[in-house]
Amino acid sequence: MLDLPLPRWASVALVSRIAKRFADAYADDVHEPAGSRLAVRNAVALAEQAAVRGGDGDVSDTFEIEGDYFDHYDIQALALALGGYAQAANNTHADLSLDERIEPFCRRGCSALALALIALQCAFPEIVLDARAPTLREAVNWSVNTEPATEDAIFVELGRAHELAAHNAWYDASPVIPADLGTLWPDGRPDGWPSPRLTFRPRARIIRTIGDRLISGPEAAVIELVKNSYDADARSVRITLVPRLKAGAGEIVFSDDGHGMAFSDIRDKWMEPATSDKRTRSTSPGGRKLLGSKGIGRFAAARLGSHLRLVSTASISKDSTTVLERTTIDDLDWEQFEEARYLDTVSFAYRTERTNESPGTQLHITHLRDDWTETSINRLHDELRRLVSPINSEEDGFDIHLDLSNCTIENSGFDGFAMLGVSNDLIDGAKQDPWKVRPFPVLDASDYLVDGIFDESGVFEGTMSIQRAGADPIPISLCVPLAEGEDPCGIVVVRLSIFDREAETIRSTAQKAGFGHLGIREARKILDKIAGIAIYRAGFRIRPYGDAENDWLTLDAKRVQNPSLKIGRNQVAGIISVDDEVSSNLVERSSREGLEENGSFRRLQNLLLTLLAEQVEPRRRKFRMSAGIDRRPQTNFREVMQTAQHAWADALLSKIPAPERQEAEKVIARETDRLSDHVKELEERQAKLEAQVTLGLIVGEVMHQGNTPLSFIENESVRLQKQLPTLFDDTIQAAEDRTDLPRIFNGLRASSATLRSLFNALSPLSGAKRGKPQDYPVDRVISNIQLFFRSRIEDMGVEFDVDPAVRAIVAHGYETDLTTALTNLVDNALHWLAHSRIASPRIRIAGTANEPGKGTITVEDNGPGVSQEFEDQLFDVGFSTRTNGTGLGLSIAREAMFRSSGDLVFMPSDEGTRFKLTITTADQ
């Protein structure tokens, strides 16, 4: 069949197909030289295009491959290059031919080069000057000798070419589409042949697409470029705004005095998106911890404006001497990335030259993408003020300047000097740059100040100063064990300035902070602007933590639930300093908008919330109550009933004349009875509500307990329904099903008994009418509570010890009241045992009924206990040291005991926590 002649372009198409099998594998082999791989790919593509065009093969034709154009001179050069590559490959093959592992791959590379050259010579014989004329037979021999498995595929294509030539009456000028000759590998690729590979080739517009996603707004872009100056060891960066500051016009100039970028840095790092240079270095030449690691600085410049002029001067080594080299890119037009097809086709002119200028970098960004109004510049100024940590900011050796000297009412709509309140004052006898951005001041004059450090294991050592009282700092210690779903977050330095929001207090705080005499409204505005808990790394803020609208600790939501205890976001100005990403695993998002919410971020949140809940908020509340700022609310109906008895009436009646006193006594007695009845009705309603609250507390536990028996009932019921039609048939399967019936019925009986026990246990909390007090066994209440919390007790490995003596007590009163009290106490104990990761957790319930009509029940655990300074607040409504606590549990428990003529008190203990309940017994 090889001897049967084919039209010219059919023959070229077939040769290009033979060459393509080897070319595809060769072009994907990263171990081969890039130049030879590209040459092979282009040669085969040109042969294919020539076959598709057909005609007489005019040497003046120009071909295009992915934006690159080839005329006959380029094709000649390509053929010469292929010849050189082929000769080098043959030499390598000769050297390595004795190694059986290497030789097949090496031979395949030689064939790829040879076949690519044959394809090019067949397609362009007038252009590729060669003494010999390659033939189809030569191409087949190269292919089959190198890889015999290609022979079948070649003859399938050859037969297809003859069929199409006869059917379509092809002649020498007829165009032929190589793909019409059939599948490249009809029987699959030979064993050991490389699999086809795909590679990403990014479009040029990815620069804009990624940049717009990574940089959320113009302020974020400015901050990213400021951080780049810091990473370049600059001592200052100046941001100059040049009107007109309208989209499509204007200019922003960044100028720093850092170490600059040599041409090699610009070429290999700055022009390489997402470079790993900063991630691998971690520190600057000057020893600073690098802020940038995502390689997105150029995206920030593109976000601000469509054109960039870059001028950078750096020291370089030249002939064993150090010289200063300036590199300039006069016009980097970002819009070219929209117009070009692929990223590697975009290029920009540059020049390098020797200079005597000091090192540094200038970015001239023009054709701005946004309008810069007075509002947006004020927002940028606030962002820059928050950017650098106010702690030791003067010692960090990095200044930011926002220069608005070019902005006037006429060209910008505002006066730059007036807007920022700039003047040329002398500071410390030296003239200071008026455009220097100064951080917001630290509120040393705050009402409360918390300072300290969490180590890697979550141990906090620090102080809390109640500055409003003029008291000395109080040492505070705290240990926060690692919770489920959390990962370590490294060392965390904490500084929290907390202030009260009463009118006079807030005005006094603002005055002490140096803001002068202000009205209440102005003082609140200033504190609102300063408020927020910001996260800093290497002295720079991680946006958006600390912004007015960012409540990353959900403080406001917690304050809404418990305003008397919790501190809101606008009551604290916090500075949280964290380690680098490697040490802390607190990873900044690529968008530079916050941290990834991973286990380490959750750990950071838990550390701070626990510090506030367990140490700061209770101390602040205690001080406010002792100072008479907060009034301790009445916490039980006993106090309300005592007030309702009108004990004040005797003093009032003594002043009423005797003839009228008797009538007044009747009126007061009548109104007292009415008020007492109303209080009793409220107490009844309160009892129902508290029972429902307790029911809500344990509903999750009950659902967990009931899920297993319910699942068994559901599954076996479905199974029985399927078996029933054939259950009594005379088959082996039916007999096996009948044998299994006793097990199923026993399981159903046990499961229903478990559910019945749960329902019976919940009955006292159902909210039914209470009626009169009755006798009931304490053992039933304790057993029900053990049932409620069985899963948590087992999962935590808690030793739940109940003294037999307490089980023998028969109480008199309302079973729901004791259930409510014990449920809250046991839930609290389980929480603190889990929170503190106690090694061998234990809960013990004991009791006696020695005194006639009275009995006591004690509930104790070996948890972390209660700090002595908080003991007097334990039963206050709203008081809690749990991070998400409502401050209702112990208050509800005590109120429940009061309703059954009992009591609940806290008992100081050397270990853990201990409560004593007093109950009325049935032998009264």
Side-chain angles (χ1 to χ4, degrees), residues 67 100 177 220 266 319 349 398 423 470 547 615 711 794:
E100 294 181 356
I177 300 174
I266 295 174
D319 300 328
F398 183 70
S423 64
D547 286 351
Q615 299 291 329
S711 295
E794 292 176 353

Side-chain angles (χ1 to χ4, degrees), residues 2 79 205 306 637 679 778:
L2 285 173
R205 68 186 306 271
S306 60
F637 276 95
V679 171
V778 170

